[in-house]
Amino acid sequence: MSAPTLQLYVEKQALVIGGLDGSVVYLTPGEYAVAAALVGSLGSVVTRQALLSVLYPAREPAQSNTLQVLIYRLRKKLQAAGGAYTVAVARSTGYTLRARGAA
């Protein structure tokens, strides 16, 4: 069984899961930036540094837990939308967006 489609909806800063009749997950600007980077590399690891550079393109990121908070919120929203996708941690490296049940 294949995972439902996953698309970025740029105009509304949202993810659409499952095509036209699917779930729409509305995101904050920070969540959208992280989601866009992860969707662009679906199934592959996106390093923490790459995600931070998406969030803070013009300056060195402050030492904070901003990325962890955004990942937490994104996971919660994906779960509320049916849980077809999840954000998994790649220990000491970064994060990956993958379909539930995918290895």
Side-chain angles (χ1 to χ4, degrees), residues 33-34 37-38 41 45-57 61 67 93-95:
V34 170
L38 293 171
S41 298
V45 174
V46 180
T47 66
R48 182 178 176 353
Q49 190 59 42
L51 291 172
L52 287 171
S53 68
V54 167
L55 291 171
Y56 303 103
L67 180 58
T93 307
Y95 299 92

PDB file of all heavy atoms in Angstrom, residues 33-34 37-38 41 45-57 61 67 93-95:
ATOM      1  N   ALA A  33       8.537  26.603   6.464  1.00  0.00           N
ATOM      2  CA  ALA A  33       9.926  26.577   5.984  1.00  0.00           C
ATOM      3  C   ALA A  33      10.567  25.217   6.245  1.00  0.00           C
ATOM      4  O   ALA A  33      11.229  24.649   5.371  1.00  0.00           O
ATOM      5  CB  ALA A  33      10.727  27.695   6.639  1.00  0.00           C
ATOM      6  N   VAL A  34      10.355  24.696   7.446  1.00  0.00           N
ATOM      7  CA  VAL A  34      10.902  23.378   7.796  1.00  0.00           C
ATOM      8  C   VAL A  34      10.231  22.298   6.950  1.00  0.00           C
ATOM      9  O   VAL A  34      10.898  21.425   6.385  1.00  0.00           O
ATOM     10  CB  VAL A  34      10.733  23.099   9.307  1.00  0.00           C
ATOM     11  CG1 VAL A  34      11.073  21.655   9.640  1.00  0.00           C
ATOM     12  CG2 VAL A  34      11.609  24.048  10.112  1.00  0.00           C
ATOM     13  N   ALA A  37      11.503  22.195   3.333  1.00  0.00           N
ATOM     14  CA  ALA A  37      12.820  21.558   3.231  1.00  0.00           C
ATOM     15  C   ALA A  37      12.699  20.038   3.340  1.00  0.00           C
ATOM     16  O   ALA A  37      13.357  19.295   2.600  1.00  0.00           O
ATOM     17  CB  ALA A  37      13.756  22.101   4.301  1.00  0.00           C
ATOM     18  N   LEU A  38      11.849  19.574   4.240  1.00  0.00           N
ATOM     19  CA  LEU A  38      11.678  18.137   4.429  1.00  0.00           C
ATOM     20  C   LEU A  38      10.947  17.489   3.252  1.00  0.00           C
ATOM     21  O   LEU A  38      11.308  16.396   2.815  1.00  0.00           O
ATOM     22  CB  LEU A  38      10.946  17.854   5.741  1.00  0.00           C
ATOM     23  CG  LEU A  38      11.716  18.197   7.015  1.00  0.00           C
ATOM     24  CD1 LEU A  38      10.813  18.091   8.234  1.00  0.00           C
ATOM     25  CD2 LEU A  38      12.939  17.312   7.171  1.00  0.00           C
ATOM     26  N   SER A  41      13.047  16.806   0.289  1.00  0.00           N
ATOM     27  CA  SER A  41      13.965  15.669   0.449  1.00  0.00           C
ATOM     28  C   SER A  41      13.234  14.484   1.062  1.00  0.00           C
ATOM     29  O   SER A  41      13.780  13.780   1.907  1.00  0.00           O
ATOM     30  CB  SER A  41      15.141  16.063   1.344  1.00  0.00           C
ATOM     31  OG  SER A  41      15.872  17.102   0.769  1.00  0.00           O
ATOM     32  N   VAL A  45      17.486  12.291   4.825  1.00  0.00           N
ATOM     33  CA  VAL A  45      17.814  13.086   6.001  1.00  0.00           C
ATOM     34  C   VAL A  45      18.169  14.507   5.583  1.00  0.00           C
ATOM     35  O   VAL A  45      18.951  14.709   4.654  1.00  0.00           O
ATOM     36  CB  VAL A  45      18.987  12.457   6.786  1.00  0.00           C
ATOM     37  CG1 VAL A  45      19.428  13.360   7.929  1.00  0.00           C
ATOM     38  CG2 VAL A  45      18.599  11.086   7.309  1.00  0.00           C
ATOM     39  N   VAL A  46      17.573  15.471   6.266  1.00  0.00           N
ATOM     40  CA  VAL A  46      17.929  16.880   6.113  1.00  0.00           C
ATOM     41  C   VAL A  46      18.651  17.254   7.402  1.00  0.00           C
ATOM     42  O   VAL A  46      18.104  17.084   8.498  1.00  0.00           O
ATOM     43  CB  VAL A  46      16.688  17.772   5.901  1.00  0.00           C
ATOM     44  CG1 VAL A  46      17.095  19.224   5.755  1.00  0.00           C
ATOM     45  CG2 VAL A  46      15.904  17.308   4.686  1.00  0.00           C
ATOM     46  N   THR A  47      19.861  17.736   7.281  1.00  0.00           N
ATOM     47  CA  THR A  47      20.646  18.013   8.482  1.00  0.00           C
ATOM     48  C   THR A  47      20.051  19.157   9.288  1.00  0.00           C
ATOM     49  O   THR A  47      19.349  20.023   8.760  1.00  0.00           O
ATOM     50  CB  THR A  47      22.104  18.380   8.133  1.00  0.00           C
ATOM     51  OG1 THR A  47      22.113  19.621   7.425  1.00  0.00           O
ATOM     52  CG2 THR A  47      22.778  17.278   7.335  1.00  0.00           C
ATOM     53  N   ARG A  48      20.352  19.119  10.550  1.00  0.00           N
ATOM     54  CA  ARG A  48      19.907  20.191  11.452  1.00  0.00           C
ATOM     55  C   ARG A  48      20.444  21.533  10.969  1.00  0.00           C
ATOM     56  O   ARG A  48      19.742  22.536  10.973  1.00  0.00           O
ATOM     57  CB  ARG A  48      20.407  19.866  12.871  1.00  0.00           C
ATOM     58  CG  ARG A  48      20.009  20.831  13.924  1.00  0.00           C
ATOM     59  CD  ARG A  48      20.525  20.340  15.271  1.00  0.00           C
ATOM     60  NE  ARG A  48      20.385  21.078  16.463  1.00  0.00           N
ATOM     61  CZ  ARG A  48      19.947  22.279  16.692  1.00  0.00           C
ATOM     62  NH1 ARG A  48      19.522  23.015  15.732  1.00  0.00           N
ATOM     63  NH2 ARG A  48      19.889  22.820  17.881  1.00  0.00           N
ATOM     64  N   GLN A  49      21.702  21.557  10.529  1.00  0.00           N
ATOM     65  CA  GLN A  49      22.311  22.793  10.050  1.00  0.00           C
ATOM     66  C   GLN A  49      21.595  23.321   8.806  1.00  0.00           C
ATOM     67  O   GLN A  49      21.383  24.521   8.668  1.00  0.00           O
ATOM     68  CB  GLN A  49      23.797  22.580   9.753  1.00  0.00           C
ATOM     69  CG  GLN A  49      24.543  23.854   9.479  1.00  0.00           C
ATOM     70  CD  GLN A  49      24.474  24.847  10.632  1.00  0.00           C
ATOM     71  OE1 GLN A  49      24.598  24.471  11.788  1.00  0.00           O
ATOM     72  NE2 GLN A  49      24.248  26.106  10.325  1.00  0.00           N
ATOM     73  N   ALA A  50      21.200  22.436   7.906  1.00  0.00           N
ATOM     74  CA  ALA A  50      20.468  22.858   6.704  1.00  0.00           C
ATOM     75  C   ALA A  50      19.117  23.459   7.076  1.00  0.00           C
ATOM     76  O   ALA A  50      18.703  24.475   6.504  1.00  0.00           O
ATOM     77  CB  ALA A  50      20.283  21.678   5.757  1.00  0.00           C
ATOM     78  N   LEU A  51      18.442  22.859   8.039  1.00  0.00           N
ATOM     79  CA  LEU A  51      17.148  23.396   8.479  1.00  0.00           C
ATOM     80  C   LEU A  51      17.321  24.746   9.162  1.00  0.00           C
ATOM     81  O   LEU A  51      16.529  25.665   8.950  1.00  0.00           O
ATOM     82  CB  LEU A  51      16.439  22.401   9.400  1.00  0.00           C
ATOM     83  CG  LEU A  51      15.957  21.122   8.714  1.00  0.00           C
ATOM     84  CD1 LEU A  51      15.448  20.123   9.751  1.00  0.00           C
ATOM     85  CD2 LEU A  51      14.890  21.420   7.676  1.00  0.00           C
ATOM     86  N   LEU A  52      18.366  24.882   9.963  1.00  0.00           N
ATOM     87  CA  LEU A  52      18.624  26.164  10.615  1.00  0.00           C
ATOM     88  C   LEU A  52      18.946  27.248   9.588  1.00  0.00           C
ATOM     89  O   LEU A  52      18.538  28.400   9.744  1.00  0.00           O
ATOM     90  CB  LEU A  52      19.758  26.035  11.639  1.00  0.00           C
ATOM     91  CG  LEU A  52      19.389  25.289  12.919  1.00  0.00           C
ATOM     92  CD1 LEU A  52      20.637  25.022  13.756  1.00  0.00           C
ATOM     93  CD2 LEU A  52      18.355  26.050  13.722  1.00  0.00           C
ATOM     94  N   SER A  53      19.652  26.882   8.526  1.00  0.00           N
ATOM     95  CA  SER A  53      19.970  27.887   7.506  1.00  0.00           C
ATOM     96  C   SER A  53      18.726  28.297   6.717  1.00  0.00           C
ATOM     97  O   SER A  53      18.654  29.414   6.216  1.00  0.00           O
ATOM     98  CB  SER A  53      21.073  27.396   6.575  1.00  0.00           C
ATOM     99  OG  SER A  53      20.631  26.331   5.785  1.00  0.00           O
ATOM    100  N   VAL A  54      17.742  27.427   6.633  1.00  0.00           N
ATOM    101  CA  VAL A  54      16.456  27.793   6.020  1.00  0.00           C
ATOM    102  C   VAL A  54      15.712  28.775   6.923  1.00  0.00           C
ATOM    103  O   VAL A  54      15.114  29.743   6.452  1.00  0.00           O
ATOM    104  CB  VAL A  54      15.598  26.536   5.770  1.00  0.00           C
ATOM    105  CG1 VAL A  54      14.160  26.893   5.438  1.00  0.00           C
ATOM    106  CG2 VAL A  54      16.202  25.689   4.664  1.00  0.00           C
ATOM    107  N   LEU A  55      15.777  28.543   8.222  1.00  0.00           N
ATOM    108  CA  LEU A  55      15.081  29.410   9.180  1.00  0.00           C
ATOM    109  C   LEU A  55      15.790  30.744   9.370  1.00  0.00           C
ATOM    110  O   LEU A  55      15.144  31.769   9.592  1.00  0.00           O
ATOM    111  CB  LEU A  55      14.962  28.707  10.535  1.00  0.00           C
ATOM    112  CG  LEU A  55      14.029  27.512  10.583  1.00  0.00           C
ATOM    113  CD1 LEU A  55      14.173  26.784  11.910  1.00  0.00           C
ATOM    114  CD2 LEU A  55      12.587  27.944  10.349  1.00  0.00           C
ATOM    115  N   TYR A  56      17.115  30.739   9.316  1.00  0.00           N
ATOM    116  CA  TYR A  56      17.918  31.938   9.562  1.00  0.00           C
ATOM    117  C   TYR A  56      18.885  32.151   8.396  1.00  0.00           C
ATOM    118  O   TYR A  56      20.093  32.020   8.554  1.00  0.00           O
ATOM    119  CB  TYR A  56      18.712  31.789  10.855  1.00  0.00           C
ATOM    120  CG  TYR A  56      17.884  31.501  12.071  1.00  0.00           C
ATOM    121  CD1 TYR A  56      17.811  30.219  12.614  1.00  0.00           C
ATOM    122  CD2 TYR A  56      17.163  32.519  12.691  1.00  0.00           C
ATOM    123  CE1 TYR A  56      17.041  29.960  13.735  1.00  0.00           C
ATOM    124  CE2 TYR A  56      16.388  32.267  13.815  1.00  0.00           C
ATOM    125  CZ  TYR A  56      16.337  30.987  14.323  1.00  0.00           C
ATOM    126  OH  TYR A  56      15.569  30.734  15.433  1.00  0.00           O
ATOM    127  N   PRO A  57      18.387  32.511   7.207  1.00  0.00           N
ATOM    128  CA  PRO A  57      19.273  32.578   6.034  1.00  0.00           C
ATOM    129  C   PRO A  57      20.304  33.695   6.064  1.00  0.00           C
ATOM    130  O   PRO A  57      21.367  33.555   5.483  1.00  0.00           O
ATOM    131  CB  PRO A  57      18.292  32.778   4.871  1.00  0.00           C
ATOM    132  CG  PRO A  57      17.075  33.356   5.490  1.00  0.00           C
ATOM    133  CD  PRO A  57      17.014  32.813   6.892  1.00  0.00           C
ATOM    134  N   PRO A  61      22.321  31.369  13.445  1.00  0.00           N
ATOM    135  CA  PRO A  61      21.206  31.105  14.358  1.00  0.00           C
ATOM    136  C   PRO A  61      21.630  31.209  15.817  1.00  0.00           C
ATOM    137  O   PRO A  61      22.743  30.843  16.182  1.00  0.00           O
ATOM    138  CB  PRO A  61      20.788  29.682  14.018  1.00  0.00           C
ATOM    139  CG  PRO A  61      21.949  29.081  13.324  1.00  0.00           C
ATOM    140  CD  PRO A  61      22.704  30.204  12.679  1.00  0.00           C
ATOM    141  N   LEU A  67      14.140  25.107  16.464  1.00  0.00           N
ATOM    142  CA  LEU A  67      13.956  24.022  15.513  1.00  0.00           C
ATOM    143  C   LEU A  67      13.211  22.857  16.162  1.00  0.00           C
ATOM    144  O   LEU A  67      12.288  22.303  15.563  1.00  0.00           O
ATOM    145  CB  LEU A  67      15.298  23.559  14.949  1.00  0.00           C
ATOM    146  CG  LEU A  67      15.220  22.426  13.932  1.00  0.00           C
ATOM    147  CD1 LEU A  67      14.336  22.806  12.743  1.00  0.00           C
ATOM    148  CD2 LEU A  67      16.612  22.039  13.465  1.00  0.00           C
ATOM    149  N   THR A  93      22.189  13.888  13.487  1.00  0.00           N
ATOM    150  CA  THR A  93      22.330  14.362  12.120  1.00  0.00           C
ATOM    151  C   THR A  93      21.270  15.382  11.764  1.00  0.00           C
ATOM    152  O   THR A  93      21.581  16.503  11.386  1.00  0.00           O
ATOM    153  CB  THR A  93      22.248  13.183  11.126  1.00  0.00           C
ATOM    154  OG1 THR A  93      23.186  12.196  11.496  1.00  0.00           O
ATOM    155  CG2 THR A  93      22.511  13.632   9.725  1.00  0.00           C
ATOM    156  N   GLY A  94      20.000  14.982  11.825  1.00  0.00           N
ATOM    157  CA  GLY A  94      18.920  15.865  11.410  1.00  0.00           C
ATOM    158  C   GLY A  94      17.577  15.174  11.483  1.00  0.00           C
ATOM    159  O   GLY A  94      17.319  14.386  12.391  1.00  0.00           O
ATOM    160  N   TYR A  95      16.746  15.433  10.481  1.00  0.00           N
ATOM    161  CA  TYR A  95      15.381  14.925  10.479  1.00  0.00           C
ATOM    162  C   TYR A  95      15.019  14.449   9.088  1.00  0.00           C
ATOM    163  O   TYR A  95      15.595  14.871   8.095  1.00  0.00           O
ATOM    164  CB  TYR A  95      14.397  16.028  10.889  1.00  0.00           C
ATOM    165  CG  TYR A  95      14.647  16.559  12.278  1.00  0.00           C
ATOM    166  CD1 TYR A  95      15.479  17.661  12.475  1.00  0.00           C
ATOM    167  CD2 TYR A  95      14.082  15.963  13.387  1.00  0.00           C
ATOM    168  CE1 TYR A  95      15.718  18.149  13.745  1.00  0.00           C
ATOM    169  CE2 TYR A  95      14.316  16.442  14.658  1.00  0.00           C
ATOM    170  CZ  TYR A  95      15.132  17.537  14.836  1.00  0.00           C
ATOM    171  OH  TYR A  95      15.378  18.020  16.091  1.00  0.00           O
TER     172      TYR A  95
END
